[in-house]
Amino acid sequence: MFKKWTYKLLIENTLDRDLVLINNTCPYGKLKCVDETIPAKGGRGSVEVISPAGAPYGLQISVTYGDKHNKNEASYGTFTVNIDVPLIENNKSSCETTGIIMVDGFKELPKRGHDFQQSVTITSKL
């Protein structure tokens, strides 16, 4: 019997703009929570995905957030977190940014394991 697998990403937004969810895909696992807006100046949000006990698959998710801005303002950019915790092969994870957005605290997953939680802080290059 397969155990329950989990991945939870806690996000703190230190920018002076809200973060908004631009895209999320979860082909393997079930989304438990994806906050669509993370408030500016210390707001917190999370992304959580599970693979229930007994499920014959692991976890796979990709989420992209960007800053909420007016049409006459330049975007700060985006950040994308990709997580792949397969049933048999090695775990894979990445965090990519565009523009002036920075992600502090992201760590790649170890090659093995199935229960993860990490916290990141969103800052800017300014």
Side-chain angles (χ1 to χ4, degrees), residues 21-27 31-36 47-48 60-65 80-81:
L21 182 67
I22 295 172
N23 186 37
N24 73 346
T25 58
C26 184
L31 286 175
K32 208 171 167 189
C33 171
V34 175
D35 286 317
E36 293 192 19
V47 174
E48 187 172 5
Q60 188 176 21
I61 187 170
S62 176
V63 293
T64 301
Y65 283 90
T80 301
V81 173

Side-chain angles (χ1 to χ4, degrees), residues 10-36:
L10 304 170
I11 304 164
E12 180 182 4
N13 177 14
T14 66
L15 300 174
D16 61 356
R17 296 179 182 173
D18 291 353
L19 289 169
V20 292
L21 182 67
I22 295 172
N23 186 37
N24 73 346
T25 58
C26 184
Y28 296 103
K30 293 183 180 184
L31 286 175
K32 208 171 167 189
C33 171
V34 175
D35 286 317
E36 293 192 19

Side-chain angles (χ1 to χ4, degrees), residues 2-126:
F2 298 108
K3 296 180 181 181
K4 177 180 169 183
W5 294 20
T6 63
Y7 177 79
K8 185 172 187 178
L9 178 67
L10 304 170
I11 304 164
E12 180 182 4
N13 177 14
T14 66
L15 300 174
D16 61 356
R17 296 179 182 173
D18 291 353
L19 289 169
V20 292
L21 182 67
I22 295 172
N23 186 37
N24 73 346
T25 58
C26 184
Y28 296 103
K30 293 183 180 184
L31 286 175
K32 208 171 167 189
C33 171
V34 175
D35 286 317
E36 293 192 19
T37 302
I38 303 172
K41 299 181 181 178
R44 298 176 189 269
S46 65
V47 174
E48 187 172 5
V49 60
I50 65 167
S51 178
Y57 51 83
L59 308 170
Q60 188 176 21
I61 187 170
S62 176
V63 293
T64 301
Y65 283 90
D67 64 299
K68 184 178 181 180
H69 58 282
N70 296 324
K71 290 182 182 182
N72 61 343
E73 296 175 316
S75 171
Y76 288 173
T78 64
F79 73 95
T80 301
V81 173
N82 297 298
I83 301 297
D84 186 6
V85 181
L87 213 57
I88 299 172
E89 301 170 20
N90 293 333
N91 297 335
K92 297 176 189 150
S93 59
S94 66
C95 181
E96 301 160 3
T97 63
T98 65
I100 63 169
I101 286 184
M102 295 176 53
V103 177
D104 294 329
F106 182 84
K107 295 179 182 164
E108 289 190 22
L109 297 180
K111 291 186 186 255
R112 299 279 182 221
H114 56 82
D115 191 22
F116 304 101
Q117 178 174 311
Q118 61 178 305
S119 298
V120 297
T121 302
I122 308 308
T123 61
S124 72
K125 295 178 184 176
L126 294 179

